[in-house]
Each structure stands twice: as C-alpha cells, then as structure tokens.
Amino acid sequence: MSSSSDWGVTGGSQDQSGVMRQRPKIGPMELVIQLWRAKWLMVAVFIPIFLLGLLAAFQMPKSYEANSRLYVRMGDENVYRPRVGSESPVAPEEELLIQAELEVLRSPVVAERALAKFPLERVYPKLVEAMNKHMAETPPETHDAIAEETFQKAVATLRKSFKSGTAPKTPVIGTALEHENAQLSAELLNAWIGAYLDYRNEVFATNGSASL
C-alpha cells in the first residue's frame, strides 16, 4: 500500500518496485457508459423527489393578486400654513409626502373600514366558522367580545395580504392585495383604496400637516 507521499505531481503513484502508476482517466464515452449503467438508480432517486414536489405544489392554496396604482401630487392640504406670525407656507418634499401618504394608506383604520364593507363570512369563512363554534361553547354575554376578537383577527389577516410601496423619486404608489378568491381580491382592494381616500380627507381636513 502506498502512502500519500508516493503520489507524484501528475496524479500517479509509485509501487515498491519504483514503477510509476498513472490514475485511470475517464473519457467522454466512458462517462456516458457509466451514466447509462446508473440510469435506473438516477430514475429511482429523481422520481420520488419530483412527485413529492408536484404533490406539495398541488396542495398549496391558490391566491389571486389584484393590483392598482395611486398617483400622488402636491395639494393644498399638504401645505403647512402657520396661523401666527408672518412665515411663508411650507410644502413638504416629495419623498416626505409619499411617506405620509403611505402611512395613511397602511393605517389599521383603513383596513377596518374596508373589511367592514363586506360580510365577514364571505371574506374569511374559516374565521367565522371558528367564531360560531366558540360562541356555541360560551355564555351569550361573551359573544360580543368573541365577535370583536374575530373581526380584529380578520383585520390583521387582511393587512398581511395588502402590500404597498413606491420606487425612489417616483410619485406613484403601487398597491396589491391577495385573496383566494379572484373577484374578492379586486373588490377588497377597491374598498381599501376607497377607505383610504375617505380617511385621508379626514386626516387633512384641518389644514394638512397641522392635523397630523
């Protein structure tokens, strides 16, 4: 048996007689032959992995995404006008304006108002089913609290499914909302944007940034 020091720089080894032995080199044809001989082993390994991945893909819940874009521009409600003194009106920079609009858009108040426009059992039937089961096991005086807790869970779920953002130096906010029902995803996103516009008017009702 030869030690590691017996191997030469060319990949060969020396036996006790001093004869240099070269490592066998596998050519392209030999490699193809070896792969062909192991084809059933590769198939046996590949097919179970492929089937498991396919099964997992079919079991994943489907979701549909609705998209919309909002164009943001400077308005009179965004300008701060001091009520005392002679200072000139101050308008925020575009990036600050976009961030302010995003904060209003992502507000939990907007999510609650958007969700309140739909029957909860239509949007999240599993939550309503769990709520009804819980109510059947508890006294009637606790039902209001259970219903409120379920609604807040639905609001949290809706907020997780909503996405919004903008590219740098771009006055356009992109919005998206996912739901397992394609029609509901569009309806929920429209309701969200409608609730945002209403809430925005309330926020800026008292002269823009002075009310924030």
Side-chain angles (χ1 to χ4, degrees), residues 93-133:
E93 297 180 0
E94 184 179 87
E95 292 186 4
L96 296 178
L97 175 63
I98 295 294
Q99 289 301 317
E101 296 291 344
L102 283 172
E103 289 298 322
V104 177
L105 181 63
R106 296 167 179 169
S107 171
V109 176
V110 175
E112 290 180 0
R113 294 183 179 182
L115 186 60
K117 297 180 180 180
F118 300 85
L120 194 59
E121 60 271 14
R122 183 187 175 204
V123 183
Y124 298 115
K126 292 183 179 179
L127 283 178
V128 175
E129 182 180 353
M131 178 189 70
N132 292 335
K133 183 178 179 180

Side-chain angles (χ1 to χ4, degrees), residues 124-190:
Y124 298 115
K126 292 183 179 179
L127 283 178
V128 175
E129 182 180 353
M131 178 189 70
N132 292 335
K133 183 178 179 180
H134 191 189
M135 286 182 175
E137 301 171 350
T138 55
E141 58 267 20
T142 63
H143 290 180
D144 290 342
I146 295 173
E148 178 62 24
E149 181 182 0
T150 302
F151 181 75
Q152 292 303 323
K153 288 181 180 179
V155 170
T157 304
L158 183 63
R159 293 185 67 191
K160 289 181 181 179
S161 65
F162 177 77
K163 301 175 184 177
S164 61
T166 182
K169 299 181 180 180
T170 303
V172 177
I173 297 177
T175 62
L177 195 146
E178 289 185 0
H179 194 273
E180 59 185 12
N181 183 292
Q183 182 178 351
L184 260 179
S185 64
E187 292 181 11
L188 286 168
L189 182 58
N190 289 334

Side-chain angles (χ1 to χ4, degrees), residues 45-68:
V45 173
F46 172 76
I47 288 182
I49 297 176
F50 174 77
L51 292 178
L52 287 174
L54 193 63
L55 181 62
F58 278 116
Q59 289 183 343
M60 291 180 62
K62 292 182 179 180
S63 62
Y64 301 89
E65 185 177 86
N67 297 274
S68 180

Side-chain angles (χ1 to χ4, degrees), residues 5-81:
S5 61
D6 293 334
W7 291 97
V9 295
T10 60
S13 64
Q14 293 181 347
D15 56 16
Q16 295 179 355
S17 62
V19 179
M20 179 68 69
R21 293 179 299 169
Q22 296 292 333
R23 288 183 178 177
K25 295 182 179 179
I26 300 178
M29 289 302 300
E30 288 81 0
L31 180 60
V32 172
I33 293 174
Q34 294 296 330
L35 291 175
W36 178 256
R37 290 176 178 174
K39 62 181 180 299
W40 297 118
L41 176 61
M42 292 188 293
V43 169
V45 173
F46 172 76
I47 288 182
I49 297 176
F50 174 77
L51 292 178
L52 287 174
L54 193 63
L55 181 62
F58 278 116
Q59 289 183 343
M60 291 180 62
K62 292 182 179 180
S63 62
Y64 301 89
E65 185 177 86
N67 297 274
S68 180
R69 289 177 176 84
L70 300 172
Y71 177 72
V72 180
R73 63 180 180 179
M74 186 73 65
D76 186 67
E77 70 276 6
N78 302 114
V79 180
Y80 172 72
R81 292 179 173 82

